[in-house]
């Protein structure tokens, strides 16, 4: 079955340090990969996506993500975290083989950036 | 450009009462989604519309949930009767093209439902 995993429930990082949020997915044809961020009492905001081409994708607010086909991963990164990056982050995947194109979301990773 | 609009933002009802949520997608977006998000979890798809047609409603509990998207624009999601376990956030999202796997989904702020 197709699945998405975010292995860390929470990531703690000091402001100014690099931030990484991990995402892995099951292999089932070509994946289309997305990252979203959710602030309290808000909907999900789109950060970036990988469809094809360059494995390194740059998105909003200084975030980037690297698609690694051999490791079936799509980790989200930011070189220097801000306190305002504290939020809930979701990885989502669609598979080319899924005719319905249903998004599978990970369980989410809470990011806490301390001053 | 206005984003996805949802109303109400919050709703508190007694169990067994009906409730309805409304969504207005981004103008020109053909595909509309309703998701359920439980606390601390990722969204789960309830139903997807391509224009007026519900093309994926396999996760919609049809005994109590119903949805419609008349004229292919606004949509309503209804629960009747509501149960305690329905307490969650109901998210609406839209994307531009029908049948596209690569289009970004844009989410509304959600409706937080509390069933007492």
């Amino acid at each position: 079955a197709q699945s998405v995993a975010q292995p860390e429930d929470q990531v703690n990082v000091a402001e100014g340090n690099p931030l990484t949020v991990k995402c892995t997915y099951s292999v089932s044809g070509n994946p289309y990969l997305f990252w979203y961020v959710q602030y309290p009492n808000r909907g999900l905001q789109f950060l970036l996506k990988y469809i094809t081409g360059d494995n390194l994708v740059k998105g909003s607010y200084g975030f980037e993500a690297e698609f690694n086909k051999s490791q079936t991963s799509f980790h989200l990164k930011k070189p220097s975290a801000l306190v305002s990056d504290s939020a809930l982050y979701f990885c989502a995947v669609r598979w080319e083989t899924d005719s319905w194109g249903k998004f599978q979301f990970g369980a989410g990773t809470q990011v806490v950036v301390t001053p | 450009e206005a984003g996805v609009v949802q109303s109400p933002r919050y709703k508190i009802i007694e169990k067994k009462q009906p409730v309805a949520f409304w969504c207005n997608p981004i103008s020109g977006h053909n595909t509309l989604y309703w998701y359920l998000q439980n606390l601390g979890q990722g969204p789960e798809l309830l139903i997807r519309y391509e224009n007026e047609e519900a093309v994926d409603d396999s996760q919609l509990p049809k005994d109590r949930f119903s949805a419609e998207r008349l004229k292919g624009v606004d949509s309503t999601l209804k629960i009747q009767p509501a149960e305690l376990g329905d307490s969650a956030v109901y998210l609406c999202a839209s994307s531009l093209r029908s049948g596209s796997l690569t289009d970004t989904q844009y989410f509304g702020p959600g409706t937080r439902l509390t069933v007492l």
Side-chain angles (χ1 to χ4, degrees):
Chain A
Q2 297 160 334
S3 63
V4 183
Q6 292 182 242
E8 299 160 317
D9 292 336
Q10 182 164 315
V11 170
N12 298 301
V13 62
E15 188 173 33
N17 283 359
L19 169 64
T20 299
V21 186
K22 296 179 180 177
C23 174
T24 60
Y25 60 92
S26 61
V27 179
S28 179
N30 289 328
Y32 303 117
L33 302 144
F34 299 74
W35 274 102
Y36 286 84
V37 61
Q38 186 175 34
Y39 296 97
N41 299 316
R42 303 281 294 275
L44 278 68
Q45 295 179 33
F46 170 71
L47 284 177
L48 51 79
K49 66 182 177 182
Y50 173 81
I51 303 302
T52 187
D54 193 345
N55 289 343
L56 185 63
V57 179
K58 294 188 182 297
S60 306
Y61 313 120
F63 284 94
E64 60 188 27
E66 185 169 10
F67 171 60
N68 188 318
K69 188 173 183 178
S70 62
Q71 297 186 6
T72 63
S73 67
F74 189 55
H75 301 332
L76 181 70
K77 299 180 181 181
K78 187 170 184 179
S80 179
L82 302 172
V83 172
S84 58
D85 294 327
S86 298
L88 188 56
Y89 290 78
F90 290 99
C91 178
V93 186
R94 275 174 146 170
W95 283 269
E96 193 178 54
T97 51
D98 183 352
S99 60
W100 292 120
K102 184 184 299 184
F103 259 24
Q104 289 273 10
F105 281 88
T109 298
Q110 183 70 47
V111 170
V112 178
V113 183
T114 52
Chain B
E1 177 184 276
V4 177
V5 179
Q6 290 187 249
S7 69
R9 290 294 313 278
Y10 305 91
K11 189 72 176 179
I12 301 174
I13 60 172
E14 300 277 339
K15 64 180 180 181
K16 300 186 181 179
Q17 293 300 306
V19 64
F21 314 123
W22 175 79
C23 173
N24 179 244
I26 293 173
S27 177
H29 280 200
N30 293 324
T31 306
L32 183 146
Y33 311 78
W34 282 103
Y35 287 90
L36 179 151
Q37 185 180 23
N38 288 305
L39 187 65
Q41 297 182 23
E44 298 173 21
L45 182 70
L46 290 173
I47 189 168
R48 182 181 90 185
Y49 282 93
E50 301 286 356
N51 300 301
E52 302 91 354
E53 184 182 1
V55 298
D56 183 2
D57 62 355
S58 57
Q59 302 301 311
L60 191 71
K62 298 181 183 61
D63 57 336
R64 298 184 300 107
F65 286 65
S66 64
E68 61 182 10
R69 191 185 185 197
L70 301 176
K71 301 181 181 179
V73 181
D74 295 1
S75 178
T76 57
L77 177 68
K78 298 179 181 177
I79 309 175
Q80 182 170 10
E83 297 179 351
L84 295 176
D86 295 331
S87 295
V89 175
Y90 292 82
L91 295 167
C92 180
S94 69
S95 61
L96 181 61
R97 296 173 296 174
S98 298
S100 171
L101 296 180
T102 60
D103 276 6
T104 298
Q105 292 185 26
Y106 295 93
F107 285 80
T111 296
R112 182 178 296 277
L113 174 67
T114 302
V115 182
L116 303 176

